[in-house]
Each structure stands twice: as C-alpha cells, then as structure tokens.
Amino acid sequence: MSDYYNAFEISPVPTPGPDAVAPEPFRGIYGMPAFVTIPTTDLPASVDFWVRGLGFFELFGIPGTLVHLRRWAFQDVLLVSEAHVPAHPPAMSVSFACVLGEVDALAGACRTLRPDSVDGPRDTPWNTRDVEVITPENARIVLTAAKPFDPDSQEARNLAAIGITAPDAGPGDNGQRARDR
C-alpha cells in the first residue's frame, strides 16, 4: 500500500487541463503555513514588477518598510526594504502554481518589464510547464503549471516509477486518511 493518497481538495490549485481557470485572488487573512521574505532596495519598483509581471496583488503594506503580496491562497510574499540585496540570483528558487493558460501571459508580462528576466517556458519530466523569472531583487521564481495528465505518457511512467499514480476522478480520501493516522 502506498503512503500517497488523493488530497487535492485541500489545495486552491485547480485540476490540470487546457481549460483550467485560475482561482480568484484570495484576500482573506489567515495563519500563513509558509511564505517567502525577499529583501529589496527599491520597494516600489519591486512591487510594480511582482504585480504587473508575476500577477500578485498588494494585500497590505507598511510604508517604506514592507509589502505583503499574494496571488492565490497560500501564495504569500513579503517584500522587505533593505539597504543591500545579493548581487546574483541564488541557486535556490521558490515556485508558485499557476494554470497552463497563464504561463505565456505571465512570461510575456515579465519580459516586457525586464527583457532578460525570463527563461522558458519549458516542460519538465514531472508533467509541468515552468517559467523561471529573475526578479529585480535577484530572487529566482518559478511559475509552474501542471499539464493535463496522460496515463500513457513518459511523465506518467516517471511518476509511477516513484509510486505516484493518477488520482481518482472522485473526491479525495484525505479526511479518512487523516482519521486513520
């Protein structure tokens, strides 16, 4: 028996497909299970790039100090004003889910704002289409969209080889799994 199970119902990410629609921006206040803090020497320019290029919105800000950005639920970024930022992007990246229909538009918006900031889109062996963006703060951001699952594809075989199989078409069993633990 696999320890993996269908728990898609806890995620704001829609079922992958060519007609998948991104969820509305989430404006609620919640305890953030994870977030990214990114230092910037130019807070207004950083906010502009994240909003117009990457599709985030300003949830709130402390003038001259911090801006809390968000896209979907659980996609939170804190831009924090600092005197210095790294001169080069780190090897590490942070990824944000999007839907296939957003990939090209987001890549194009980032290219318009910073022509040399975008690498991709490219397809991955784990069934996503990714775009890597280097932000004005030299953060390495990956926008990633799941592709429709083809059970006969090489990507499906790659996932099956590590024990991840296609989720059932019905509702998840996350609630029962949680009770069984």
Side-chain angles (χ1 to χ4, degrees), residues 15-87:
T15 301
D19 298 327
V21 176
E24 292 294 317
F26 190 83
R27 297 186 189 301
I29 301 297
Y30 51 74
M32 296 183 298
F35 60 93
V36 179
T37 301
I38 298 178
T40 176
T41 58
D42 188 341
L43 195 54
S46 293
V47 170
D48 182 63
F49 183 82
W50 282 79
V51 169
R52 293 193 311 137
L54 295 169
F56 283 72
F57 68 92
E58 184 174 334
L59 186 63
F60 66 84
I62 301 170
T65 303
L66 169 135
V67 173
H68 184 153
L69 301 172
R70 182 178 291 153
R71 277 178 32 108
W72 303 350
F74 312 119
Q75 294 186 340
D76 293 278
V77 174
L78 303 180
L79 295 177
V80 179
S81 186
E82 295 286 344
H84 303 285
V85 297

Side-chain angles (χ1 to χ4, degrees), residues 136-176:
E137 315 79 31
N138 280 324
R140 187 178 307 275
I141 305 302
V142 176
L143 300 169
T144 184
K147 297 187 311 186
F149 187 78
D150 175 358
D152 296 322
S153 69
Q154 182 59 50
E155 291 87 352
R157 289 187 290 279
N158 294 343
L159 293 170
I162 60 171
I164 299 173
T165 57
D168 296 332
D173 59 358
N174 186 50
Q176 183 60 46

Side-chain angles (χ1 to χ4, degrees), residues 5-25:
Y5 53 91
N6 180 350
F8 277 74
E9 73 273 10
I10 68 168
S11 175
V13 179
T15 301
D19 298 327
V21 176
E24 292 294 317

Side-chain angles (χ1 to χ4, degrees), residues 105-172:
L106 290 168
C110 289
R111 280 190 177 102
T112 296
L113 295 168
R114 297 190 69 207
D116 296 326
S117 67
V118 179
D119 181 22
R122 66 182 175 282
D123 291 341
T124 68
W126 47 90
N127 207 41
T128 64
R129 181 159 300 141
D130 292 359
V131 172
E132 183 179 277
V133 178
I134 305 300
T135 70
E137 315 79 31
N138 280 324
R140 187 178 307 275
I141 305 302
V142 176
L143 300 169
T144 184
K147 297 187 311 186
F149 187 78
D150 175 358
D152 296 322
S153 69
Q154 182 59 50
E155 291 87 352
R157 289 187 290 279
N158 294 343
L159 293 170
I162 60 171
I164 299 173
T165 57
D168 296 332

